């Protein structure tokens, strides 16, 4: 993709960000009730007079607030806006989008509810008094974007006054990730933390917190050299000195970074772009660890560092380089563990436990879990993999239990966990309730080589916006079918910067040099199925789905997306006519995925076969199970019916019973059972009561319906009721990756299906090579 000038890029990003924050509703958060309020009795229980009972219970025993209110899962994200992102002192109100963003991360990554609180309190006393007064509301406080050195004093006073966790993430979140990287980097270099020479550039809140945590882990004060924009922190210096820097002050004639960098094992940069010059890097010790964390431009760019020191290990704060130091690696999971044991603080022991858990995860032996987390590209502990990816779903499974256990052992837990294995199991269930299920798919798509995707509806705004996203994300190489002049006008109208010929290819249905070749291929493929020469010429001129399918058959694309306009059946007919079915597949079917707060659920067959036979149901279940495995999930199939394990003997019930029997023969390793009610599928407790010998364990994630009516009605109803994200329909059984979307699909839906199509195309390509 071409590189637009920086001003244009920022303008595009700003415009997209403003649109994102404004629509469909302003902001990024809303409050939802967790209890029903549908009748007079519900009202009496929720408010007066029923609410008196929990109020009196809490008055008698304050610890019961964790049982009767949301406090135990509620965190305050608090800022006064004095040091926002890299924007500086922009004030409390202007900081609100950042705090809302932090709240979203808490919810998505760890299921923690958040109230963001932006307060007009630039002075220490007012902020401390205000935050401390909020203690009855929250289970924890996350301080954010408060300038140094005030942030140190504010946190220290609040921790002394409050009996809930108070955590300044700018300090400690960064420190925890940095410490994990340092431990692993030094291990690879064969060095010890106790003897390592550490030099910093920057002496703000994050830098000092990093050093303090490293000292807790074993680093020695005499081996640490602190520099900032005023030079070395030396004895007698006046500029920007305070009691927080005092432990690192040296009685030394050294005054600049260049005076202290020689022989350093670790460079910790939390300062400004370009501070670490290549000539300084050359003076560092063997196998140096470079943490260049200034954003968006680090203290030294990784490629420049490697040129100067090929033996260097390099971390940055950016996602486009290995070893990203990102606070989201830890803060949601630290709070998760702290809240779950009712911790009164987040102490040094808990922070060190988080450090060790993160470092150990990077060192874990490659496994099936790791392969799923990284979409088959299993990383191996080494210079380019010192710390895990922020999207590794195992983070919550390692950090939260470690933090909870440390809280219990250090005496700050008010609700100790008695069964740690059961706790980890509960966390495992959360992993796929967080909306992260698409992350492994996107990761795999970025590394795929078979990534040419042809879009039949290339003039559609949703496709044009999706094309820009997939290019920016490195997911696919788009091929758009449409009239060039229409595409050009719409790109400009929508403010999109991608350009034909440079960023993507266009197939012009009105004038393409391949027209005759396409017609000839269509006749060869479908001439014996009623497609005459005249009909073939008309179809290639007027039907973009036909063109896309022919491009696939000519190996000009690896996958295709169509269906944004027109009827599903018409597109399906053309896909089946030209692309056909995989060997051994009797009929096509469609799988839909819903992602909601309750988890991820797959539905089949939602769009294709009106009344499938028992054999077709068994076949589509096997195909759906194969697709589900791409998400790193273990398929658990429930064949649904109005009959519950033999309670009725209607024709449809017998059909599902027969399909279940066929599945046991053709896919004996697949966890599947039926026929059963929908509630039995989703509740192991209910299923146990009805039929305790079911081979299906836990909650089903694949719901298989007896006919198209049932599947489609259930899908659309549940989607609306749960406000769930629909991914699909995913067309199963085609000879090549082809997906037919629906007119209601959003641009985001097109991007999701593009990633899925690319992963499917890549896996088929790999299988062919093998």
């Amino acid at each position: 993709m071409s590189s637009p000038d920086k001003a244009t890029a920022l303008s595009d990003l700003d415009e997209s960000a403003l649109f994102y924050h404004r629509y469909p509703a302003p902001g990024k958060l809303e409050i939802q009730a967790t209890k029903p309020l549908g009748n007079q009795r519900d009202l009496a229980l929720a408010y007066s007079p029923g609410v008196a009972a929990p109020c009196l219970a809490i008055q008698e025993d304050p610890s019961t607030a964790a049982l009767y209110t949301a406090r135990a899962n509620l965190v305050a994200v608090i800022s006064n806006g004095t040091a926002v992102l890299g924007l500086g002192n922009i004030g409390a109100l202007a900081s609100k989008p950042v705090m809302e963003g932090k709240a979203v991360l808490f919810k998505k990554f760890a299921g923690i509810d958040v109230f963001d609180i932006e307060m007009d309190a630039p002075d220490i006393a007012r902020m401390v008094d205000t935050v401390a007064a909020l203690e009855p509301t929250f289970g924890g406080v996350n301080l954010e974007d408060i300038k140094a050195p005030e942030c140190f004093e504010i946190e220290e006073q609040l921790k002394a006054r409050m009996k809930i966790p108070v955590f300044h993430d700018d300090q400690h979140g960064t420190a925890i990730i940095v410490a994990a990287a340092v431990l692993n980097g030094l291990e690879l270099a064969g060095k010890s933390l106790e003897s390592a020479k550490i030099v910093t550039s920057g002496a703000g809140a994050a830098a000092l917190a990093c050093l303090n945590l490293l000292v807790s882990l074993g680093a020695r004060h005499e081996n640490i050299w602190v520099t900032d924009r005023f030079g070395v922190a030396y004895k007698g210096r006046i500029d920007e000195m305070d009691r927080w820097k005092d432990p690192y002050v040296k009685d030394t004639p050294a005054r600049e970074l260049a005076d202290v960098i020689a022989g350093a094992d670790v460079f910790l940069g939390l300062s400004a772009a370009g501070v670490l010059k290549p000539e300084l890097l050359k003076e560092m010790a063997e196998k140096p660890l470079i943490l260049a964390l200034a954003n968006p431009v680090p203290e030294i760019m990784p490629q420049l560092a490697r040129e100067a020191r090929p033996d260097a290990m390099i971390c940055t704060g950016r996602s486009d380089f290995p070893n990203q130091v990102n606070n989201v690696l830890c803060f949601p999971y630290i709070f998760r563990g702290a809240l779950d044991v009712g911790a009164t603080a987040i102490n040094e022991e808990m922070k060190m436990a988080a450090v060790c858990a993160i470092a150990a995860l990077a060192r874990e032996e490659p496994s099936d879990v790791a392969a799923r987390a990284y979409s088959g590209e299993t990383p191996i502990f080494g210079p380019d993999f010192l710390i895990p990816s922020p999207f590794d779903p195992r983070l919550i499974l390692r950090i939260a239990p470690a933090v909870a256990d440390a809280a219990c052992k250090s005496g700050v837990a008010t609700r100790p966990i008695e069964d740690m294995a059961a706790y980890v199991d509960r966390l495992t269930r959360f992993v796929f309730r967080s909306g992260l299920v698409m992350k492994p798919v996107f990761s795999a798509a970025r590394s795929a080589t078979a990534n040419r995707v042809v879009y039949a509806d290339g003039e559609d705004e949703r496709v044009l916006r999706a094309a820009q996203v997939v290019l920016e994300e490195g997911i696919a190489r788009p091929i758009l079918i449409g009239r060039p002049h229409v595409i050009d006008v719409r790109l400009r109208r929508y403010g999109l910067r991608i350009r034909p010929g440079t960023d993507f290819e266009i197939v012009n249905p009105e004038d393409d040099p391949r027209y005759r070749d396409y017609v000839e291929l269509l006749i060869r493929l479908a001439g014996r199925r009623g497609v005459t020469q005249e009909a073939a010429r008309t179809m290639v001129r007027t039907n973009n789905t036909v063109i896309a399918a022919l491009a696939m058959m000519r190996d000009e694309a690896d996958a295709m997306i169509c269906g944004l306009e027109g009827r599903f059946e018409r597109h399906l007919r053309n896909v089946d006519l030209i692309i056909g079915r995989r060997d051994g597949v009797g009929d096509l079917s469609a799988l839909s995925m819903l992602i909601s707060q309750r988890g991820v659920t797959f539905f089949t067959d939602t769009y294709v076969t009106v009344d499938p036979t028992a054999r077709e149901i068994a076949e589509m279940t096997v195909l759906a199970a194969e697709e589900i495995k791409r998400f790193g999930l273990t398929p658990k199939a429930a064949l649904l019916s109005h009959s519950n394990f033999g309670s009725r003997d209607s024709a449809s019930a017998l059909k599902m019973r027969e399909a279940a029997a066929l599945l046991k023969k053709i896919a004996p390793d697949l966890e599947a059972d039926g026929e059963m009610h929908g509630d039995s599928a989703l509740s192991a407790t209910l299923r146990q009561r009805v039929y305790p010998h079911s081979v299906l364990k836990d909650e089903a994630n694949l719901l298989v319906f007896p006919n198209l009516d049932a599947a489609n009605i259930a899908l659309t109803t549940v989607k609306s009721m749960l406000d769930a994200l629909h991914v699909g329909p995913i067309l199963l059984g085609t000879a090549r990756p082809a997906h037919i979307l629906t007119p209601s699909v959003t641009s985001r839906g097109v991007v999701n299906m593009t990633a899925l199509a690319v992963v499917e195309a890549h896996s088929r390509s790999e299988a062919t090579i093998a």
Side-chain angles (χ1 to χ4, degrees):
M1 182 177 173
S2 61
S3 298
D5 65 86
K6 186 175 181 181
T8 303
L10 289 174
S11 176
D12 288 342
L13 180 61
D14 290 346
E15 183 180 346
S16 298
L18 291 172
F19 184 91
Y20 174 87
H21 281 78
R22 184 173 180 181
Y23 299 102
K28 298 188 283 281
L29 299 170
E30 66 178 5
I31 295 175
Q32 290 188 352
T34 60
K35 299 294 191 295
L37 197 63
N39 53 46
Q40 188 64 37
R41 179 168 175 76
D42 290 344
L43 181 59
L45 292 171
Y47 198 53
S48 181
V51 75
C55 288
L56 293 173
I58 294 168
Q59 182 187 35
E60 183 177 343
D61 181 1
S63 69
T64 60
L67 303 177
Y68 301 126
T69 75
R71 182 175 185 261
N73 194 52
L74 185 62
V75 165
V77 170
I78 299 179
S79 179
N80 61 8
T82 53
V84 177
L85 284 175
L87 303 176
N89 187 357
I90 61 174
L93 181 59
S95 76
K96 189 170 181 65
V98 181
M99 303 312 123
E100 285 189 356
K102 193 82 170 191
V104 170
L105 295 178
F106 267 109
K107 187 66 175 179
K108 284 293 184 182
F109 284 92
I112 295 171
D113 295 315
V114 165
F115 289 155
D116 64 288
I117 299 175
E118 298 76 31
M119 54 180 61
D120 184 10
D123 61 284
I124 293 173
R126 183 177 180 183
M127 187 156 192
V128 169
D129 287 342
T130 305
V131 175
L134 296 173
E135 183 172 346
T137 303
F138 297 100
V141 171
N142 184 94
L143 300 174
E144 193 77 15
D145 293 349
I146 304 169
K147 73 183 180 73
E150 287 88 338
C151 62
F152 301 120
E153 192 69 44
I154 289 168
E155 185 188 36
E156 186 176 81
Q157 291 189 32
L158 287 173
K159 288 171 74 172
R161 289 177 60 171
M162 302 178 79
K163 297 196 181 310
I164 58 174
V166 177
F167 187 81
H168 185 204
D169 184 49
D170 295 338
Q171 294 182 55
H172 308 301
T174 302
I176 287 164
I177 312 305
V178 163
V182 170
L183 290 183
N184 281 345
L186 292 177
E187 178 177 315
L188 281 175
K191 303 173 183 178
S192 69
L193 182 59
E194 291 78 6
S195 61
K197 179 178 179 180
I198 302 169
V199 176
T200 77
S201 173
L208 293 176
C210 291
L211 296 179
N212 292 339
L213 185 54
L214 289 172
V215 168
S216 297
L217 289 164
R220 301 172 68 87
H221 282 96
E222 56 264 33
N223 295 333
I224 297 173
W225 296 79
V226 171
T227 73
D228 58 17
R229 64 195 179 109
F230 292 100
V232 173
Y234 62 89
K235 190 173 183 179
R237 198 182 101 177
I238 298 174
D239 294 320
E240 287 195 6
M241 295 301 293
D242 52 59
R243 66 186 179 97
W244 309 101
K245 295 189 183 78
D246 285 349
Y248 304 104
V249 169
K250 295 285 191 298
D251 188 359
T252 176
R255 293 295 182 265
E256 303 294 336
L257 175 63
D259 299 333
V260 298
I261 195 70
D265 299 290
V266 178
F267 170 83
L268 173 59
L270 285 153
S271 53
V275 168
L276 183 60
K277 307 300 181 185
E279 56 269 23
L280 297 182
L281 181 53
K282 291 178 180 179
E283 295 184 26
M284 292 183 69
E286 182 183 359
K287 296 181 180 177
L289 174 61
I290 311 301
L291 295 127
L293 306 183
N295 262 324
V297 182
E299 283 79 3
I300 187 168
M301 292 298 288
Q303 60 269 30
L304 192 59
R306 289 205 184 281
E307 289 173 7
R309 288 296 297 267
D311 62 336
M313 295 168 281
I314 306 159
C315 301
T316 71
R318 290 171 46 151
S319 61
D320 52 345
F321 296 119
N323 296 322
Q324 182 191 14
V325 174
N326 188 328
N327 290 9
V328 79
L329 267 165
C330 70
F331 73 79
Y333 317 122
I334 290 173
F335 270 95
R336 180 74 279 157
L339 293 173
D340 289 341
V341 296
T344 57
I346 294 175
N347 57 25
E348 287 300 301
E349 291 88 346
M350 295 160 74
K351 289 187 283 185
M352 288 191 287
V355 171
C356 294
I358 294 167
L361 179 56
R363 297 194 301 267
E364 281 190 20
E365 291 291 326
S367 64
D368 290 342
V369 174
R372 289 198 297 270
Y374 293 88
S375 306
E377 297 293 329
T378 311
I380 298 175
F381 179 53
D384 287 334
F385 190 68
L386 297 174
I387 44 180
S389 161
F391 294 112
D392 191 326
R394 297 170 297 169
L395 285 164
I396 192 172
L397 307 179
R398 303 294 188 272
I399 300 174
V403 169
D405 185 58
C408 295
K409 290 177 178 176
S410 61
V412 297
T414 61
R415 299 188 303 275
I417 292 173
E418 296 180 2
D419 188 341
M420 191 60 71
Y423 176 58
V424 173
D425 184 60
R426 291 200 303 274
L427 294 175
T428 301
R429 293 167 186 265
F430 170 77
V431 168
F432 293 106
R433 291 184 179 179
S434 62
L436 297 179
V437 69
M438 286 299 296
K439 295 300 180 183
V441 176
F442 276 81
S443 179
R446 290 187 187 99
S447 61
T449 52
N451 64 355
R452 300 167 300 167
V453 179
V454 58
Y455 299 86
D457 304 289
E459 297 175 2
D460 191 286
E461 177 185 357
R462 292 164 292 179
V463 168
L464 294 173
R465 292 190 181 279
Q468 177 154 308
V469 172
V470 301
L471 281 163
E472 290 173 345
E473 295 285 332
I475 293 169
R477 289 181 288 161
I479 302 167
L480 306 187
I481 300 176
R483 295 161 293 177
H485 66 282
V486 173
I487 290 175
D488 185 62
V489 168
R490 292 182 179 179
L491 286 173
R492 298 180 190 282
R493 179 191 304 165
Y494 305 138
L496 302 174
R497 67 176 178 275
I498 55 173
R499 291 294 176 259
T502 304
D503 302 316
F504 63 91
E505 179 186 342
I506 289 181
V507 177
N508 182 1
E510 294 181 341
D511 183 21
D512 191 278
R514 294 164 289 191
Y515 170 73
R516 293 182 183 277
D517 296 329
Y518 282 0
V519 170
E520 182 180 334
L521 177 59
L522 179 56
I523 293 170
R524 189 162 66 247
L525 293 172
R528 289 183 177 273
R529 297 180 65 182
V531 176
T532 65
Q533 290 189 4
E534 185 60 33
R537 284 193 288 269
T538 302
M539 290 169 72
V540 174
R541 279 282 187 224
T542 62
N543 193 314
N544 288 7
T545 297
V546 169
I547 298 171
L550 291 169
M552 283 266 290
M553 298 305 291
R554 282 169 50 87
D555 291 324
E556 295 167 356
D558 301 303
M560 68 170 280
I561 304 287
C562 65
L564 279 76
E565 296 179 5
R567 294 187 175 183
F568 188 94
E569 313 92 271
R570 179 168 62 88
H571 296 290
L572 180 66
R573 187 165 55 249
N574 288 322
V575 168
D576 197 15
L577 178 72
I578 298 169
I579 294 175
R581 305 166 192 179
R582 279 169 49 184
D583 291 341
V585 172
D587 199 3
L588 302 179
S589 57
L591 177 70
S592 290
M593 177 172 71
L594 289 186
I595 304 174
S596 68
Q597 288 297 328
R598 74 171 309 280
V600 177
T601 310
F602 295 85
F603 296 66
T604 196
D605 170 16
T606 47
Y607 281 91
V608 179
T609 307
V610 175
D611 189 15
T613 65
R615 184 164 294 280
E616 288 170 336
I617 288 171
E619 179 182 82
M620 71 175 64
T621 304
V622 172
L623 291 173
E626 289 178 5
E627 191 69 30
I628 290 171
K629 290 177 183 177
R630 296 189 199 280
F631 296 91
L633 294 168
T634 300
K636 297 175 179 288
L639 279 63
L640 303 185
S641 171
H642 67 285
S643 172
N644 207 19
F645 293 104
S647 64
R648 301 283 293 273
D649 287 330
S650 65
S652 66
L654 292 172
K655 178 173 69 172
M656 298 306 281
R657 202 175 304 164
E658 181 186 351
L662 286 169
L663 273 174
K664 290 179 182 178
K665 295 179 181 178
I666 64 176
D669 295 331
L670 175 62
E671 194 174 322
D673 208 347
E675 80 287 7
M676 71 179 75
H677 287 174
D679 54 359
S680 294
L682 299 176
S683 170
T685 303
L686 285 176
R687 190 165 60 249
Q688 181 74 12
R689 291 177 192 166
V690 178
Y691 184 64
H693 305 294
S694 175
V695 298
L696 181 63
K697 306 302 179 186
D698 300 321
E699 180 178 314
N701 57 13
L702 171 58
L703 304 181
V704 184
F705 294 84
N707 56 51
L708 183 59
D709 274 348
N712 193 271
I713 291 169
L715 171 71
T716 53
T717 302
V718 172
K719 175 179 178 291
S720 180
M721 290 176 63
L722 297 183
D723 191 25
L725 171 65
H726 177 213
V727 178
I730 304 166
L731 193 59
L732 305 175
T734 54
R736 299 191 180 200
H739 297 290
I740 306 167
L741 308 187
T742 62
S744 62
V745 71
T746 63
S747 178
R748 179 185 180 189
V750 177
V751 173
N752 284 335
M753 285 307 301
T754 299
L756 271 173
V758 167
V759 172
E760 181 184 355
H762 182 72
S763 63
R764 292 199 190 191
S765 173
E766 293 287 297
T768 301
I769 293 171

